[in-house]
């Protein structure tokens, strides 16, 4: 009889996972590739390949350490393709005294887990996921204490609690945040780091063939797959980032450049989210690099804030606001997602670039997601559910707990301001300042309305006009609305007419 059956999910590939602690000789680790998970949305083929290959490598690594692993592949003819079904079959095979799992990253799976004890007629122990700095309970306490109304307050609290980049009771360098230094456009001629890619081994090749055969109708290229699929490879990617990219990460964190998909970014979010790297080791290595004098403080702090601050914050919001977080639609946005998001031709160079890297790499960096594809969806009034689904499908790092708050809250402001105090609405001049996209665009950035004007220009003002009632008294948007109120009726008509013609077709004003 098996003592404990320990189910490990595809985003729980961490040797120190709570469900793997106190592993006994009579225990069995169960890993299952189920169709429900690969198909409940149409994930980018690279995302499916990354997770399946990393799962297979993780299982091999455990076996190499003498652990008994029961692994069910996607093409196993007896596979029931659901967690519940595979768990029930495994219980029959192993007759365990209990089942042990680590809490999942998604509300959908969390709800499923609630039924397992009665379905299986066995004790099911659900352990906390301690790979995060802030547990779900600790975040809920911070909510009660009023310390999560803004990310910045939460982040400072986390700095104090962890001692990360602290000097006594205060932040090192005297400031909590060096963002003012982190908004530079890329200077011409700046040499960019050559990014590390990993050649697929035999296991990955097999997975790539499986994915190509089963998911070839999903959006995204599989060719050029170069993700790390083992912990060793992910650690190499992290070392490469810290040495070659982090020193310049801060300065050009918000920059965009045509044809350059990664710039100085970490490109480590998929590894963090499936467990090949942990948040604490990544932050500690960045802090160490600063202490060793290899990285300036604005870069180390800017990077650590993304993980200790934003990543932990959005997870906390997800678990305290679910279920139901995704149901709100504060700005009453209803438009269908335009076909250009799936690769249909567009004259908008910025959108073409950001959707292009998404298709090629299952990756786009933060500013591309927030200020180009996200900004467009916000300004065009795309239905939150549709744009959320798009982000969940197309990025290798997309898991509900992190994708949903970023899209629903940060980008679409559909939560009415729980996550961010104002929407990140911006016109074409922001994109022009932070990128080289506009020079070669067939739209004219300088024109404000009309058929050849940059669509971001009139969509921005149209967004303010349409949402004046909902957002007009938002103090952080005071200047924007003050400028809107200076526009006379004729100009407003040209703006709304251009937005209508662009979004719905018809006569240009
Ligand atoms: C609309 C939108 C959707 C997003 N969807 C996801 C998603 O599904 N999964 C995901 O991991 N991130 C998501 N993000 C956050 C962020 O864009 C990605 O984490 C980042 O681009 C990953 O690339 P990187 O590893 O090169 O990040 P870097 O720029 O190098 O940043 C370092 C790390 O910080 C963390 N991080 C940075 N910003 C955020 C954030 N806002 N929320 C959570 N973690 C953050 C990530 O773990 C990232 O690896 C989204 C952001 C936006 C605006
Ligand atoms: S001109 Fe407008 S549409 Fe064209 S790249 Fe610039 S911001 Fe994008």
């Amino acid at each position: 009889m098996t003592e404990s059956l320990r189910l490990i999910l595809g985003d729980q590939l961490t040797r120190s996972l709570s469900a793997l602690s106190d592993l006994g000789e009579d225990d069995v680790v169960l890993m299952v590739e189920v169709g429900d998970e690969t198909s409940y949305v149409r994930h980018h083929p690279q995302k499916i390949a990354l997770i399946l290959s990393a799962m297979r490598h993780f299982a091999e690594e455990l076996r190499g350490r003498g652990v008994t692993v029961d692994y069910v592949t996607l093409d196993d003819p007896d596979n029931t393709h659901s967690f519940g079904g595979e768990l029930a079959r495994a219980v029959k095979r192993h007759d365990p005294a209990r089942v042990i799992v680590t809490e999942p990253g998604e509300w959908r799976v969390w709800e499923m887990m609630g039924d397992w004890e009665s379905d299986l007629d066995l004790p099911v122990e659900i352990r906390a996921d301690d790979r995060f700095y802030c547990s779900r309970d600790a975040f809920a306490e911070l909510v009660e204490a009023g310390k999560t109304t803004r990310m910045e307050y939460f982040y400072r609290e986390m700095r104090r609690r962890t001692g990360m980049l602290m000097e006594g009771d205060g932040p090192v360098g005297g400031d909590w945040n060096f963002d003012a230094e982190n908004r530079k456009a890329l200077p011409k001629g700046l040499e960019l780091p050559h990014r590390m890619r990993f050649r697929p081994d035999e296991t990955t090749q097999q997975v790539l063939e499986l994915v190509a055969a089963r998911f070839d109708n999903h959006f995204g290229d599989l060719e050029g797959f170069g993700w790390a699929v083992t912990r060793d490879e992910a650690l190499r990617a992290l070392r490469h980032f810290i040495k070659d990219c982090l020193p310049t990460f801060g300065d050009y964190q918000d920059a965009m450049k045509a044809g350059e998909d990664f710039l100085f970014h970490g490109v480590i979010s998929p590894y963090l989210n499936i467990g090949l790297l942990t948040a604490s080791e990544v932050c500690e290595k960045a802090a160490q690099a600063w202490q060793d004098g290899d990285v300036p403080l604005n870069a180390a702090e800017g990077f650590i804030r993304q993980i200790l601050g934003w990543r932990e914050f959005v997870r906390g919001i997800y678990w305290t606001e679910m279920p139901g977080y995704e149901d709100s639609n504060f700005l009453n946005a209803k438009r269908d997602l335009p076909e250009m998001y799936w690769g249909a031709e567009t004259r908008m160079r910025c959108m073409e670039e950001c959707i292009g890297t998404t298709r090629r790499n299952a990756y786009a960096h933060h500013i591309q997601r927030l200020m180009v594809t996200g900004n467009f969806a916000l300004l065009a009034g795309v239905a939150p559910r549709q744009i959320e689904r798009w982000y969940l499908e197309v990025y290798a790092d997309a898991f509900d707990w992190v994708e949903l708050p970023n899209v629903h809250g940060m980008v679409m402001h559909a939560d009415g301001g729980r996550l961010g105090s104002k929407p990140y609405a911006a016109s074409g001049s922001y994109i022009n300042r932070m990128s080289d996209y506009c020079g070669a665009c067939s739209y004219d950035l300088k024109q404000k309305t009309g058929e050849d004007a940059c669509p971001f220009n009139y969509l921005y003002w149209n967004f303010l006009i349409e949402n004046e009632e909902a957002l007009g008294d938002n103090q952080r948007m005071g200047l924007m609305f003050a400028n809107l109120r200076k526009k006379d009726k004729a100009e407003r008509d040209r703006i709304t007419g251009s937005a209508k013609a662009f979004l719905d077709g018809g006569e240009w004003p």
Side-chain angles (χ1 to χ4, degrees):
M1 182 179 167
T2 297
E3 194 51 42
S4 304
L5 183 65
R6 297 167 184 256
L7 175 67
I8 306 301
L9 307 180
D11 58 355
Q12 298 183 338
L13 309 180
T14 313
R15 187 61 192 88
S16 59
L17 189 79
S18 56
L20 287 174
S21 68
D22 63 19
L23 197 61
E25 276 185 6
D26 296 329
D27 291 352
V28 170
V29 168
L30 174 67
M31 296 180 70
V32 294
E33 300 176 357
V34 290
D36 280 3
E37 296 306 305
T38 51
S39 313
Y40 78 97
V41 294
R42 293 160 60 84
H43 303 285
H44 194 297
Q46 286 194 36
K47 178 182 183 185
I48 302 175
L50 166 68
I51 296 172
L52 297 188
S53 178
M55 284 175 73
R56 292 182 183 195
H57 282 92
F58 188 70
E60 271 321 298
E61 192 198 319
L62 289 178
R63 286 191 182 117
R65 291 166 185 254
V67 176
T68 307
V69 182
D70 182 356
Y71 195 99
V72 182
T73 56
L74 198 63
D75 49 5
D76 181 331
D78 295 326
N79 192 331
T80 58
H81 292 295
S82 73
F83 285 140
E86 284 314 289
L87 203 48
R89 286 204 314 132
V91 164
K92 281 207 183 117
R93 284 195 297 274
H94 301 290
D95 187 22
R98 57 180 181 158
V99 170
I100 297 179
V101 288
T102 290
E103 63 192 8
E106 211 173 313
W107 183 267
R108 184 180 58 89
V109 183
W110 174 247
E111 272 194 315
M112 270 183 224
M113 277 186 183
D115 295 333
W116 288 352
E117 203 157 81
S118 60
D119 290 354
L120 300 169
D121 197 18
L122 266 181
V124 175
E125 186 187 335
I126 305 177
R127 297 182 174 173
D129 189 346
D130 55 13
R131 296 173 300 168
F132 292 88
Y133 278 102
C134 189
S135 69
R136 283 165 53 178
D137 288 346
F139 193 89
E141 282 164 21
L142 287 172
V143 172
E144 284 291 303
K147 290 188 172 161
T148 65
T149 48
R150 289 292 157 250
M151 195 291 289
E152 188 65 28
Y153 310 146
F154 167 79
Y155 168 58
R156 290 178 191 188
E157 182 64 21
M158 294 307 291
R159 291 270 296 273
R160 287 192 197 96
R161 287 185 177 199
T162 56
M164 183 68 65
L165 299 181
M166 293 293 286
E167 206 163 40
D169 293 338
V172 294
D175 279 321
W176 292 101
N177 181 319
F178 295 88
D179 249 3
E181 295 172 38
N182 290 0
R183 296 198 182 113
K184 299 187 183 100
L186 275 182
K188 279 211 174 80
L190 181 74
E191 202 178 320
L192 296 170
H194 181 70
R195 301 313 298 250
M196 192 173 257
R197 298 181 78 79
F198 296 86
R199 192 188 296 269
D201 65 3
E202 211 182 308
T203 302
T204 304
Q205 280 300 353
Q206 282 168 4
V207 168
L208 290 175
E209 281 161 27
L210 178 80
V211 172
R214 287 195 175 222
F215 307 103
D216 67 330
N217 56 352
H218 290 200
F219 171 84
D221 301 340
L222 192 54
E223 309 85 66
F225 179 96
W227 293 101
V229 291
T230 63
R231 171 151 170 84
D232 282 351
E233 287 179 347
L235 279 171
R236 277 172 56 204
L238 176 63
R239 278 196 295 272
H240 157 62
F241 164 70
I242 298 225
K243 180 170 163 290
D244 298 333
C245 312
L246 183 59
T248 326
F249 169 88
D251 291 354
Y252 306 116
Q253 200 177 332
D254 288 0
M256 299 177 279
K257 185 171 166 60
E260 295 295 343
D261 298 338
F262 308 107
L263 299 175
F264 297 96
H265 289 272
V267 202
I268 55 163
S269 46
Y271 311 144
L272 279 165
N273 295 352
I274 64 174
L276 297 182
L277 298 175
T278 63
S280 57
E281 75 186 338
V282 169
C283 290
E284 279 158 20
K285 284 193 163 76
Q288 189 61 49
W290 167 71
Q291 252 160 8
D292 294 345
D294 298 332
V295 162
L297 185 54
N298 71 309
E301 187 282 315
F303 179 72
I304 287 169
R305 176 157 25 92
Q306 306 310 314
I307 297 175
L308 182 61
W310 278 112
R311 187 169 185 269
E312 297 284 329
F313 185 66
V314 300
R315 177 178 185 257
I317 297 282
Y318 180 81
W319 284 109
T320 48
E321 296 296 323
M322 288 295 279
Y325 182 60
E326 75 277 35
D327 294 338
S328 53
N329 189 353
F330 181 70
L331 298 177
N332 200 21
K334 293 196 176 123
R335 191 172 300 285
D336 285 337
L337 187 70
E339 280 302 312
M340 71 177 151
Y341 280 81
W342 300 114
E345 215 178 306
T346 169
R347 285 175 60 195
M348 301 175 78
R349 178 103 190 283
C350 50
M351 292 293 283
E352 196 183 27
E353 281 288 331
C354 298
I355 293 163
T357 172
T358 303
R359 179 199 281 277
R360 283 190 298 280
N361 305 307
Y363 176 89
H365 61 74
H366 187 67
I367 289 300
Q368 293 177 313
R369 296 187 206 194
L370 181 64
M371 299 310 295
V372 181
T373 46
N375 188 23
F376 184 88
L378 171 77
L379 300 185
V382 171
R385 281 284 170 84
Q386 293 194 26
I387 186 70
E388 284 151 24
R389 197 176 165 103
W390 184 78
Y391 278 100
L392 185 61
E393 292 188 2
V394 302
Y395 291 114
D397 59 21
F399 294 85
D400 205 43
W401 65 268
V402 53
E403 175 272 332
L404 183 66
N406 269 299
V407 183
H408 194 78
M410 191 184 304
V411 163
M412 299 306 291
H413 204 70
D415 62 0
R418 172 66 189 97
L419 190 119
S421 52
K422 71 171 183 65
Y424 285 84
S427 69
S429 60
Y430 174 88
I431 295 172
N432 185 45
R433 194 162 65 247
M434 298 315 299
S435 78
D436 63 354
Y437 296 156
C438 301
C441 183
S442 71
Y443 287 113
D444 185 352
L445 182 79
K446 293 201 187 80
Q447 287 189 46
K448 301 302 172 207
T449 53
E451 208 163 350
D452 288 323
C454 165
F456 276 104
N457 289 344
Y458 50 77
L459 289 180
Y460 169 78
W461 291 112
N462 184 63
F463 171 79
L464 294 183
I465 292 169
E466 284 190 346
N467 293 292
E468 195 165 2
E469 203 179 308
L471 299 169
D473 58 0
N474 182 318
Q475 288 181 350
R476 294 202 56 210
M477 299 180 79
L479 190 62
M480 292 162 136
F481 281 105
N483 286 333
L484 175 67
R485 284 169 201 134
K486 286 182 200 152
K487 294 193 185 300
D488 61 21
K489 177 161 181 328
E491 194 176 355
R492 280 181 173 237
D493 286 349
R494 279 197 300 278
I495 288 167
T496 51
S498 295
K500 191 163 171 28
F502 178 80
L503 293 171
D504 302 328
E507 290 283 303
W508 284 88

